[in-house]
Amino acid sequence: MKAPRFAYEKPQSLDAAIRLLADGGDGAKLIAGGQSLGPILNFRLAQPELLIDIRTLPELRTVRDEGDAVFLGAGTTHAAIEDGRVCDPTRGLLSAVARTIAYRAVRNRGTLGGSLAHADPAADWVNLMALLDAEIVARGPSGERRLHAAAFVRGPLTTDLAADEIITGVSVRKLSGRARWGQYKFNRKPGEFAEAIGGFVHDPELGMARALVGAIGDAPYVVADAMRLDEPAMHDAVSRAGFADGTYEHQIHFAALKRATAQARGA
Amino acid sequence: MTQSARKGVGARLRRKEDERFLRGRGDYVGNIRMVGMLDVAFVRSPVAHARIRAVRKSPGLESVVFTIDDLTGVKPIVANSALKGFKSAPQHVLARDKVRQVGELIAMCVAPSRAEAEDIATQVELDLEELPAVVDMVAAIEPGGPRVHEEWSDNVVLETLVDDDLSTIRANAAIKVQRRIRTARQCMSPMEGRGVVAHYDRRLDQLTVHSAAQMPHINRAGLSECLGIDQGRIRVVAPDVGGGFGYKGILLPEEVCLGWLAMMLGRPVRWLEDRFEQLAANANCREHYYDITGYATADGRLLAIDCEAIVDSGAYSSYPFSACLEAAQVSSILPGPYRMDGYRCRTWSAATNKPPILPYRGVARTGVCFALELVVDAIARAAGKEPYEVRLACLVPPEAMPFVNITKKFFDSGDYPEALRRAVRVLDLPKWRERQKRGEPDGRRVGVGLAIFCEQGAHGTSVYHGWGIPMVPGHEQCTARLSPDGVLELRIGAHSHGQGLETTLAQVAHEILGVDPDNVRLIHGDTALTPYSTGTWGSRCMVMSGGAVATACKEIEKRVRAIAGKLMEVAGDDLVLEAGRVRVAGTDRSMSLAEVAHVWYRAPQLLPADVDPAGLETTAGYKAVRDSGTFSYACHACAVAVDTELGTIEILDYVVVEDGGTLVNPMIVDGQVFGGTAQGIGTALYEEMPFDAQGQPLASTLADYMLPGATEVPTIRIEHIETPSPLSYFGQKGIGEGGAIAPPAAITNAVNDALADLGVEMLESPITPRRLLTALAAARARRGAG
């Protein structure tokens, strides 16, 4: 199928993009890498009147040190993270996850901000940023706000973002040398969307111990105090994430969480 | 080593056609550009079963939207079988009165671009009265339910019965295993979808239909029947085709629609299937159900098979193979490569509100092999034997060849037990049994599985005429022309779309004429340029087209000898054809083929007056010694690791020992086996088109319809046995489909081997994590309850 007719603008600055977005109202839609929106347009599931192309905006390509965190511009591609072309404050977790996103062709164009804004419940960054307690930075006509990643996603394909806001980047805390992490993505074959994502991060210096039950068809489920996460607690977390014991979904999410935790603990 | 051994039959010659394919220079239907060409988008049925109250065109769009009422004179596609009791289901090329599957064509919209044509399509209003859908084939043949075709008495397209009195065996067999086995509906997925470009040539008064087709001459016949114009006014051109597998071995309603439209508008029109149409409207193969019982002696020797099988045939009868071919085949091929004393098989072709069934690579054999080989493994477990041992006890032995089996199939040659023994040896069964005993460090469970089958290929008239479908294969022809510069042109009516015929048929020509394969051009895929052929299907081309090319080259050879003999003043029999030259035996006197051709065409004054004027061009026909088909066969053996926490399966090793008779090009045969096995792995573990209770297909992208990719296909180790067929020209056997037949059986047997002591036996393909974990949970519950 082919996309319906739409107008196309490629603004030269972030401010211009925000103005176009605000002026365009419900009929305007941002496009960056287009790896989700492209197929959605072709299926005619979205029929915007105006596409605003922000893929090459320099403001969205910035990466800067914020002291205890690193700010990654929304236009950073998955491939740039995978290849270590941008700083990874998590000591390898970001690039390990980037490597498993779809296929290289998708990673070459797909962006961090685009994936977060699209908020597919099975998408990797949506889940990982919630696990890492990262902050999503958004800008609109009235200025900039910082949103907790764990609360940013409200449901499938739904975020806290206002219609005239653009994600400019993500602020990810720097993990210490003592930090340990684990992540397990369960999918039918490499490159496919996750059926389950388990995650675990423990950083004694930051006092951080978080666990993730991800790709649950909804906003990710995070255990914020996962210091003593044993198997019964994992079952409990998966049940609270919405999957009753004894179901297929419970089993795969439990296994993913167990494997992520084991990886972090070096088991 | 002789020249022939390096480039002729048996050489691992690199594929000539890869020069253009690997550089992205193939020319497909989608590459065709014509001045004034318009694009077509179809309005398709959003529901599985409905009465059409009205199809309304928006005002102003009447001239660019067409329904069946506009297509005056166009007849429905009819593919009947002459088998007794077959129920006919004519398919209107655009729906009339009713729709019977999601995706059925309702209206045709035309515009300068596809996007605009889709815009128009969204403005066509459908008024449909939904009817209950027939979705499950087992329920479909029960009396009393809704009917796909109201004028029928039930949903049974055809019922067949091969009956045998099994009462003695039933009474005396020490082992009886009964299983209910299912295979999922799949969607054949060549890289290139279907596509049609049609235009009308006023000078020739001829409709040209470019189509990604495996069987252009058959499409031409079908177009003629539906459009009501004679075949001479239709030319079908199949350019480069990006994979067929059976998906393109059909007369498409889209072809008929576009043919009509091109004539009506007087402009070229194009339709290119996209992946959404392919998945949503064309999941069309492999869906079988078996209630199968195997009887065996206490030590596991197979005595008899008793089976009731249903094939989900979908809503219509596709042209030319019909809605019943697959089920009818089930009953004739279910006994596989085994000897048995008794056999009974009843089959139903069930009509459902799903896409019409098409024969996919391996046709019914993939399901049949799955059912039979799972039962043989169950017998082995009941007998406490290794699965290969019970197979060895009943495989047809080489000394019995040729062998007429219990369903009257003529197994031409081969050593089936050797294929099995060698597969077991190459896989190193004891190594895996040892590893299995030791256990995996990561907790996964290891299992080993086997499957063996034989495959009839290149079967001809005597096999097909009984089915009485619109196509009966006969002889095969090749036109060969040694052109003035010594280049050999070969024209065949079959089509090469992955088989490598441009290379292998050049090797055949080289074998006979000594012409360098680089100087052979294969012309195929154009009804105006090639002799008639039923086309490329049924693993037939290397036997039939290969035989035709060899026969035509033999005739050319005779004429070359006559001409060259006159020119060199020796008897034709004293000449040797090799390395592109004609040499006087035992001397170094020779002339090139180009020189011989040059004299014939451009310097005939050098020839004596009494030279045979037939020339260096001929059309020759070929028929096998008997047309019951060659029987290639293979044993697949694999080892898997099963993750019982996630329900995933990793293939640790995969071995194929196959016998394709004389291999014309072993490298291309390897490629066929690799590709087929990859598709078989898809059937075993990944591919499935689920339908909901309303008949909606639930996978609409390749993210939902999962195909195996590079990461899912392991290294496949292939060994060849070469038992020449006594029936074919060089002893070659059809080998194109075999790879896709055994993997679901071999892999499932390996999984069941891994999980046997947990009480888990998988009987449905594909083995998804959900199915596997559900079975493990059920087995745990049973153990808990026990």
Side-chain angles (χ1 to χ4, degrees), chain B residues 352-376:
Chain B
T352 60
N353 290 112
K354 292 190 222 168
I357 192 164
L358 290 179
Y360 176 27
R361 193 179 200 171
V363 199
R365 290 172 192 83
T366 304
V368 158
C369 177
F370 188 66
L372 180 64
E373 290 292 86
L374 262 53
V375 162
V376 171

Side-chain angles (χ1 to χ4, degrees), chain B residues 374-422:
Chain B
L374 262 53
V375 162
V376 171
D377 260 35
I379 289 171
R381 282 193 293 276
K385 295 263 192 173
E386 273 286 357
Y388 80 86
E389 293 174 317
V390 302
R391 286 179 173 82
L392 279 179
C394 55
L395 282 171
V396 173
E399 59 272 17
M401 293 291 180
F403 181 80
V404 178
N405 87 339
I406 198 157
T407 56
K408 307 282 188 291
K409 294 283 179 190
F410 182 84
F411 296 173
D412 59 328
S413 63
D415 189 341
Y416 300 174
E418 175 56 19
L420 177 64
R421 282 190 298 264
R422 203 191 292 186

Side-chain angles (χ1 to χ4, degrees), chain B residues 59-278:
Chain B
L61 297 177
E62 292 87 351
S63 64
V64 289
V65 177
F66 305 91
T67 68
I68 191 66
D69 293 335
D70 299 308
L71 271 61
T72 45
V74 174
K75 296 190 195 69
I77 294 172
V78 178
N80 287 342
S81 162
L83 291 174
K84 194 165 165 285
F86 178 86
K87 297 193 189 82
S88 181
Q91 179 182 14
H92 290 283
V93 295
L94 295 172
R96 181 188 289 284
D97 304 327
K98 268 181 85 173
V99 285
R100 295 183 179 85
Q101 66 158 103
V102 171
E104 183 167 351
L105 306 180
I106 295 178
M108 171 166 56
C109 306
V110 62
S113 73
R114 173 67 178 253
E116 291 163 288
E118 288 182 16
D119 289 344
I120 295 168
T122 61
Q123 296 175 60
V124 175
E125 194 192 317
L126 303 179
D127 184 355
L128 304 174
E129 175 196 344
E130 249 192 278
L131 300 168
V134 180
V135 180
D136 181 76
M137 61 182 152
V138 180
I141 64 166
E142 297 293 328
R147 289 193 302 275
V148 176
H149 301 277
E150 284 151 65
E151 62 279 20
W152 291 11
S153 52
D154 53 24
N155 289 315
V156 178
V157 184
L158 180 75
E159 189 180 329
T160 70
L161 177 65
V162 177
D163 211 358
D164 207 350
D165 179 11
L166 301 182
S167 55
T168 314
I169 292 171
R170 281 198 193 102
N172 298 320
I175 292 175
K176 172 194 170 182
V177 296
Q178 181 178 10
R179 296 290 184 272
R180 294 194 174 87
I181 292 169
R182 256 190 123 113
T183 55
R185 185 166 270 253
Q186 287 182 235
C187 186
M188 286 182 254
S189 302
M191 284 208 282
E192 181 210 25
R194 292 166 174 164
V196 181
V197 170
H199 75 95
Y200 190 72
D201 185 319
R202 282 198 297 264
R203 179 178 66 87
L204 298 173
D205 186 20
Q206 187 178 58
L207 171 69
T208 300
V209 176
H210 300 263
S211 181
Q214 297 174 223
M215 301 152 55
H217 292 271
I218 296 297
N219 293 51
R220 182 197 202 198
L223 282 165
S224 165
E225 288 166 24
C226 290
L227 293 172
I229 59 178
D230 60 64
Q231 295 198 28
R233 290 179 58 205
I234 300 173
R235 175 182 181 189
V236 175
V237 181
D240 280 333
V241 171
F245 313 118
Y247 192 67
K248 297 166 182 172
I250 174 180
L251 171 67
L252 298 172
E254 289 93 343
E255 288 170 328
V256 179
C257 287
L258 267 83
W260 177 86
L261 186 64
M263 290 194 292
M264 203 276 298
L265 295 176
R267 284 178 73 169
V269 288
R270 172 174 78 168
W271 165 74
L272 296 177
E273 179 185 64
D274 66 21
R275 205 52 81 177
F276 179 73
E277 291 178 288
Q278 182 228 351

